[in-house]
C-alpha cells in the first residue's frame, strides 16, 4: 500500500509539472501563471490530505489515506 501511495504522489507531481511546462511551451500561459497553477494544485492536495486524510499527499503527511480511515476531518467524521 505504501508503494501505491508513493506512486500516486509521484504521478501527481509529474502531471502537475507536465501541465505547467506544456502551458509555458505552448504559449497558453506565462511562467508566472504556470507557477500559480502549480501552487494552487499543491495547496488543494495539501488541504485534501490535512482535512480529509486522502489524496496524493495523504501518506506524506502521515494521514494514511482516507480509504484506511485517515486522521483528518474526513476520518473524524467518517467520510
Amino acid at each position: 500500500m505504501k508503494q501505491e501511495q508513493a506512486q500516486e504522489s509521484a504521478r501527481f507531481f509529474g502531471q502537475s509539472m507536465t501541465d505547467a511546462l506544456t502551458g509555458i511551451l505552448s504559449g497558453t500561459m506565462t511562467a508566472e501563471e504556470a507557477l500559480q497553477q502549480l501552487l494552487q494544485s499543491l495547496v488543494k492536495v495539501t488541504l485534501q490530505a490535512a482535512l480529509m486524510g486522502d489524496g496524493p499527499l495523504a501518506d506524506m503527511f502521515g494521514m494514511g489515506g482516507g480509504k484506511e480511515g485517515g486522521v483528518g476531518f474526513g476520518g473524524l467524521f467518517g467520510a
Side-chain angles (χ1 to χ4, degrees):
M1 191 63 165
K2 293 268 185 202
Q3 184 177 5
E4 291 173 13
Q5 291 168 339
Q7 289 173 341
E8 183 180 2
S9 296
R11 276 191 299 272
F12 164 74
F13 285 114
Q15 187 62 53
S16 296
M17 289 298 296
T18 299
D19 291 345
L21 289 173
T22 299
I24 293 170
L25 294 175
S26 68
T28 59
M29 65 173 83
T30 65
E32 182 179 346
E33 291 168 332
L35 181 58
Q36 287 176 344
Q37 180 178 319
L38 281 170
L39 291 175
Q40 287 173 350
S41 294
L42 184 58
V43 167
K44 180 180 177 182
V45 296
T46 301
L47 288 172
Q48 182 181 10
L51 298 176
M52 301 303 294
D54 65 3
L57 301 184
D59 191 51
M60 293 178 74
F61 286 91
M63 302 305 264
K67 297 176 190 99
E68 299 172 355
V71 188
F73 288 134
L76 291 175
F77 296 119

